[in-house]
């Protein structure tokens, strides 16, 4: 009798083939509106979706939002209006492989490419000489760390739900840590390609941890205590130990891994309290 995993594999092939040819579901009115409010720019033949809203009059501050895995820029929809009341420009993109951006297959997806796409968008918008605030979540946290390593002209960085693994790795370093930066499900094969970022975190640990330790950028963590990815209180204790110069906002006990969606008011207040303290 064949091994069970061979039988599962043989069964999975036709199921996967069928799945890959299932047409995508119709977009909701909210997503249609989100897409119609955005634009595209081209990065190495890939169409990258982004939104760019002009907001507060009298402010010159710019914020770039970096979404997490496995979602898109729509993660920021509930706080978008609130951010436009504080910032002159509010900008978010869908990383390649996510949301309304292209999803090439086969493709070697990497954090380095995503960071380069962010830089490309900043240049496309003529903001490459401006000081920029980064607000990132999950997968976007690692992109923010790569941008810090490249010394992007960043004013302040807020972390939302970084992965505990990142901070477990930092414990291998000694000394005082300086503040640093701190994310749409598609096909199965593509899903595993995107997940290569987990291995990239391990491989490039020194580079990204070094960025966290050496930057003088003000850092803030917004944390939901019910986050299953970063259990409370262990994660928070580790975070404060590793990054003692960072400030922290802890939301209500029932808030989990997507605080900007679960508690948009609390999340926005936490972020604005941080940004307005400078």
């Amino acid at each position: 009798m064949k091994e069970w995993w061979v039988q599962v594999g043989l069964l999975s092939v036709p199921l996967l083939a069928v799945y890959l040819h299932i047409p995508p579901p119709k977009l909701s009115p909210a997503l249609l509106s989100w897409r119609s409010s955005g634009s595209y720019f081209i990065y190495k033949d890939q169409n990258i979706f982004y939104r760019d809203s002009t907001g507060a009059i009298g402010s010159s501050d710019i914020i770039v939002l970096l979404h997490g895995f496995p979602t898109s820029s729509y993660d920021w929809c509930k706080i978008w209006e609130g951010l436009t009341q504080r910032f002159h420009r509010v900008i978010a993109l869908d990383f390649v492989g996510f949301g309304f951006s292209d999803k090439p297959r086969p493709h070697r997806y990497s954090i380095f490419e995503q960071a380069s796409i962010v830089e490309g968008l900043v240049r496309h918008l003529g903001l490459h000489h401006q000081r920029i605030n980064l607000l990132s979540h999950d997968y976007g946290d690692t992109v923010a760390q790569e941008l810090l390593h490249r010394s992007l002209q960043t004013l302040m960085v807020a972390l939302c739900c970084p992965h505990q693994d990142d901070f477990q790795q930092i414990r291998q370093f000694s000394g005082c840590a300086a503040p640093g930066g701190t994310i749409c499900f598609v096909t199965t094969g593509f899903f595993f390609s995107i997940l290569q970022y987990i291995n990239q975190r391990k491989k490039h640990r020194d580079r990204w941890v070094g960025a966290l330790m050496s930057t003088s950028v003000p850092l803030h963590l917004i944390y939901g205590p019910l986050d299953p990815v970063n259990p409370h209180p262990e994660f928070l204790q580790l975070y404060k130990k590793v990054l003692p110069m960072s400030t922290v906002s802890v939301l209500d006990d029932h808030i989990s891994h997507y605080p900007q969606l679960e508690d948009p008011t609390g999340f926005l207040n936490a972020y604005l309290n941080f940004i307005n303290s400078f």
Side-chain angles (χ1 to χ4, degrees):
M1 184 176 180
K2 294 182 178 179
E3 297 288 346
W4 66 269
W5 55 269
V6 174
Q7 298 180 42
V8 171
L10 292 173
L11 179 62
S12 299
V13 170
L15 292 176
L16 178 59
V18 171
Y19 174 70
L20 292 176
H21 289 85
I22 295 176
K26 291 184 178 180
L27 297 178
S28 67
L31 282 173
L32 287 171
S33 176
W34 187 264
R35 185 175 64 179
S36 66
S37 299
S39 303
Y40 290 85
F41 83 105
I42 297 176
Y43 176 82
K44 293 186 177 180
D45 298 325
Q46 305 295 341
N47 291 306
I48 305 298
F49 174 85
Y50 70 94
R51 285 196 65 185
D52 177 14
S53 294
T54 301
I57 299 175
S59 171
S60 60
D61 292 343
I62 301 166
I63 184 170
V64 174
L65 311 174
L66 307 178
H67 70 81
F69 176 90
T71 51
S72 71
S73 59
Y74 191 67
D75 277 358
W76 308 108
C77 64
K78 291 187 177 181
I79 63 170
W80 193 267
E81 183 177 354
L83 291 174
T84 62
Q85 295 174 12
R86 170 59 178 80
F87 291 92
H88 174 60
R89 298 279 288 273
V90 180
I91 301 163
L93 77 160
D94 290 348
F95 293 127
V96 63
F98 296 81
F100 297 122
S101 291
D102 282 353
K103 303 169 183 63
R105 295 183 309 187
H107 187 75
R108 295 180 63 86
Y109 292 90
S110 74
I111 294 297
F112 299 103
E113 178 185 39
Q114 306 290 22
S116 294
I117 290 172
V118 176
E119 291 179 322
L121 175 59
V122 169
R123 288 192 299 270
H124 173 75
L125 297 175
L127 303 174
H128 48 290
H129 296 305
Q130 303 293 318
R131 292 168 65 84
I132 294 174
N133 301 283
L134 293 180
L135 175 57
S136 60
H137 175 232
D138 190 77
Y139 179 92
D141 298 342
T142 310
V143 178
Q145 288 174 245
E146 172 59 20
L147 290 170
L148 284 173
H149 177 82
R150 299 181 187 187
S151 300
L152 183 68
Q153 296 182 31
T154 305
L155 176 60
M156 283 167 271
V157 178
L159 309 172
C160 175
C161 305
H163 282 278
Q164 179 166 300
D165 289 347
D166 289 342
F167 298 100
Q168 294 286 358
Q169 295 163 359
I170 295 174
R171 287 191 293 182
Q172 298 185 23
F173 291 81
S174 60
C176 180
T182 104
I183 82 179
C184 297
F185 190 91
V186 283
T187 67
T188 303
F190 171 80
F191 177 73
F192 286 114
S193 180
I194 285 287
L195 279 178
Q196 287 302 309
Y197 81 92
I198 296 175
N199 293 329
Q200 292 166 19
R201 279 176 167 168
K202 297 177 181 178
K203 181 178 180 179
H204 302 289
R205 177 178 58 204
D206 292 354
R207 178 186 182 97
W208 292 330
V209 170
L212 288 171
M213 297 180 67
S214 62
T215 185
S216 59
V217 172
L219 173 67
H220 189 70
L221 171 70
I222 301 177
Y223 178 65
L226 203 60
D227 187 349
V229 178
N230 305 301
H232 186 271
E234 293 82 7
F235 169 77
L236 199 55
Q237 293 169 348
L238 176 60
Y239 181 88
K240 291 179 176 179
K241 180 180 179 180
V242 171
L243 300 174
M245 296 176 66
S246 172
T247 53
V248 175
S249 294
V250 180
L251 302 180
D252 291 344
D253 290 345
H254 66 282
I255 304 303
S256 183
H257 190 65
Y258 285 85
Q260 72 272 38
L261 294 174
E262 299 170 47
D263 183 15
T265 300
F267 182 94
L268 185 61
N269 287 337
Y271 182 69
L272 293 181
N273 286 338
F274 161 66
I275 208 77
N276 290 333
S277 65
F278 295 91

